[in-house]
Amino acid sequence: MRALPLFRPGRYGRAWLIFSLAKLLPLKRRQVLVLSDSRAVLSGNLEFIVRELTATHPEFTVRTVLRANLSAQRHWRDAIRLPYLIATSKFIVVDDFIPYVYRLTMREGAHLIQAWHAAGAFKRVGYSRRGLPGGPAEDSITHRGYTDAIVSSERIRRDYAEAFWMPIEGVHALGVPRTDVFFDPDHAAAARARVRAQYGIRDEQRVVLYAPTFRGNGQRVAYFDPAIIDWDALAAAFGDHTVLLVKMHPFVREAPDIYSDRPQFVDVSAEREINELLFAADALVTDYSSVIFEYALLRRPIVFHVPDLEDYQGARDFYYPFERYLAGPVTRTTAELIEALARPELDTAALDRFVADFMAACDGRSSERFVERLIVARADEPASARPTPVWPPSALPGQPGAPIPRPSTVQRALARLGRAIRRERQPGLVSTIVPAYNVESYIEEAVRSVLDQSHRRLEVIVVDDSSTDGTPAILKRLAKEDRRLRVYRRPNGGVNRARNYGLHRAKGQYLTFLDSDDVLLPGAYAEMVASLKRSGSDFVVGSYERIRDGELEPPRVWITNAHNKDREHFTVRGYPRVLVNAVQWSKMYVRSFWDDYVKTFPEPGFYQDQVVSAKAYGSARHIDMLQRPVVGWRLREDRSSMTQQLGTVANLRDRFSTAREAVRILRERAGDAVADTRLLQLLRFDFGTTTGRLVDADDAYWAQLRSGIREFAAMARERGVWEEISAQHRILFFLIEEDRRADAVEFTERGGREPADFPMEVVGDDLWIHLPLWERDDVPRELFRASPIQRDQYLPTPDAAEE
C-alpha cells in the first residue's frame, strides 16, 4: 500500500493529496507565492521583490508562507493552504532550501524561481557539494525543479547552474534585490545612524562587524566554534575606542559565551538581515561568508580570519581558489587579526576587480529587473513556455541535449538500491591490481609480497598483458596455491589498459596498485588500512625505497623530506609538498572516492600516474601520509623498466604531456598555489633528471627536450616561481631554451649538476654559487644566485652558528 501515491503516509502524503486535487483548478496567472523556511517575517530578497511587485503592479496577488527554520512547527492553516497555493500559483519564489517543494512535481505552466539569499559564489552549495560531507546523492531531490534562478554577475551563472543542476539558460544575471539599497546614499547614511543609535555607539567609536558563517553540514546541525579567537586579547586591543558587533549566521542557534565582562562586544545576531549592520560597520571581519560580496560594494576594509581554512576547504570547499576572494588581508591567529584591524588596508584596485567578477549585475535596479522579466513578462505566456528541469545531475549544465524528466519513485528507489550495492564492497578487503608483461624474473616476488601481508583480507588481481615468457606459468602456479590471487589474460594493450581491466573486477573497500617488478614491504597494508579507519580520509600515501642490485636503499631526498612524519586528515592545500609523491603504487584509496573522482587510468602513455595522482590530490577532502616506506621500487639491472628509459624521445614527450595535464588538473581542482607547487617540483626534480641525458642525446631528443623546457620555464616565469628553482637547473634550462647544446653539455660534463662541489660566496643577502660557466659573460649572472632552499641548505642559521 505504501507504494501507491494515494496512500502515502504522513504530512507529505496529505500534502500530495491536496496538491493533486488543487491541480485540477485553473492556474492563477497573476498569483505569486513567496516561501521561506529560514525567516519568520518577510525580509531579504523576498521583501524587496514583494515591495517592488506590489508598488508597480497592484494587479498581482502575493501570498506568503514563512517559518523561522526547518525545525519550527508550521501553522495548521499553512499545512492545508500551502499545497493548494503551490498547485494554483503561476509563480513560486523561494530564497533558500525548501524541502517541502522538492517533493511535489510542479504543474505545467508554473515557475519555481530561486532568489537565492546569498550573493556571489563562495562556498559550494547544492549539487556543487556532491562528494563532500553533507552533499546530495545522485538521486536526491534537493534543489530539484527550479525553472529560474538569479545571480549577481554573468561570470557565476555556470556555478549556480551546477549548484541547482538546471540549464544555464535558466540562470539570470539580474543582480541581488536586497543590494538595491547599497546604491542609495541617503538610505545608507540613515541606516548607519539608526544602528549606532540603537546599540549606543558613540560618534568617536569605530565599529567592527564580525560575521562568520556556520560550521557543519546544514541548518539542523550548524554551529560556531568560539575557540578560534582569543576574545580577551581582542577586547584588550579594542579598549573603549572600538565596538565589535557580532552577527552569528542565522543557522547557529546557540550563542557563544563571549559577551560577559566585555562591554565593547555586542550581540546583534537577532538581526535577521545584515544589510543595516553593514552600513554601520567601518570594517568587516569574516571567514567564508558571502557577506563579503555586499560589503565590497561599500569599498571598506575586509579582514578574512580563517584559522581553520584547510579543514573548511576539505569539508565544504569553494567555487574558486580561496585567493580569488581575497579583497583584504588574511589572518590565522588572534595576534594577526588585531594587527590587521589596527592598520586596516583598503586595496581599491583589488576591490574593483572583486566587484567586477562577482557583483557586476548589482546596480540598484535588481528588484525591478526580477519583477519585470521573471514575473510580469511571463504572466500571460502559454504553459508550454515553461522550461523542463534537467535531471539527473550527471550531464553538465548548459550542455545541449533533450532534458531528462524527474525520476519516478521507482527509479529513485532503484538508484538508492544501486548506491547501496556499490557501498557494499567487502568491508576491509584490499584489492591490489598488478599489470604484468614479460616479468618472469620478478612476478613471483611481487605477488608473494602482497599475499604475505599481515593484513589478510586481500584480493590480488594480476592482469597478464599477453606475456610471451614464463610469466603465465608462474601466475597459474601461484593462483593454485592461494585463492586470493585471480589472474586474467588479455590482448596486449599497455599497462594502463591492464590496470583499468583489473579495476572493473576489483571488489574491495580499499584499492591499491603494484608494479609487477616491485615489492610490497612487510606490514604496509595493515598500517595503511589502520590509518584510513582512524582518520576517515580518502586515501593514504606512503614513502618508498629503491631496490638496486637486490638491496634496498633510501629514495631521493625530496621523497624523504616530504615524508618527514606521519600525518592524518590533512589537505593538499595545507601540505602541498606531498605532491612530489606522484606514483600510484605507494597509495591506498578508499574505493568509493576513487570511483567518484579518479575513475580510470588514461590510455595510453608512460607517466599517467602523474595525471591520476593530480586528480586524487586535487579532489581529496583529506589525505593521510605515512613516514615509513611501503614499497620497494626496483631499478632493473637491464634498465628495461619504463621509468629507466628516460633517454627515449617517446618517454620524454610523454613526461612533458602528462606533467602539463597534471598541472592543469591541480589548478582547476585545487587552485593556483597547489598547481604552482607542483610546477616547481617538476622543474626541480623531474625535469632536472631529464637534463642528465644531454651528453648522449641525439638531435630528436634535444629538440623534444628544448620544446618541453621552453614551455615549462615560461610557465614558471609567468607564475613567479622561476627564482625558486635551484641555480644549476636554471642555468641548464636557460642554455636549453637558447639552443646552446654545446654549452649545456659542457656544463654537465664539468659537474654543474652538483652545486655542493663548487665555491660559494655571500654578497649581502644573496648566496652565489660559482658553477661552470661562471666566468662566461654570455650566461646571465643572476642565474648563479642560489634559490631560497639552497641558501637555507648551504648557509647555517645564526642560531646554528652560535651552537
Side-chain angles (χ1 to χ4, degrees), residues 91-148:
F91 303 99
I92 301 135
V93 183
V94 301
D95 72 337
D96 208 328
F97 174 65
I98 311 287
Y100 191 101
V101 173
Y102 309 139
R103 298 172 182 269
L104 304 173
T105 303
M106 295 297 103
R107 66 187 295 180
E108 187 176 8
H111 292 265
L112 179 57
I113 307 172
Q114 176 60 264
W116 190 246
H117 60 278
F122 201 168
K123 53 183 179 288
R124 292 182 177 270
V125 299
Y127 287 109
S128 300
R129 297 188 62 207
R130 284 182 304 160
L132 295 171
E138 289 289 334
D139 63 318
S140 171
I141 58 174
T142 297
H143 288 304
R144 185 211 48 78
Y146 302 134
T147 57
D148 302 275

Side-chain angles (χ1 to χ4, degrees), residues 178-185 188 275 278-279 294-295 297-298:
R178 64 184 175 82
T179 65
D180 288 350
V181 293
F182 283 76
F183 300 87
D184 182 347
N275 274 8
L278 295 179
F279 292 128
E294 296 96 307
Y295 198 70
L297 296 173
L298 298 175

Side-chain angles (χ1 to χ4, degrees), residues 385-413:
R386 176 191 183 273
T388 305
V390 169
W391 190 271
S394 55
L396 288 174
Q399 296 299 309
I404 303 173
R406 173 189 177 174
S408 66
T409 301
V410 173
Q411 288 172 322
R412 293 202 305 274

Side-chain angles (χ1 to χ4, degrees), residues 15 18-19 22-23 25 28 31 33 79-89 100:
I18 297 172
F19 177 77
K23 283 169 69 174
L25 300 173
K28 298 182 179 181
Q31 180 165 289
L33 172 61
I80 295 174
R81 73 180 185 129
L82 182 53
Y84 166 79
L85 291 172
I86 294 174
T88 57
S89 299
Y100 191 101

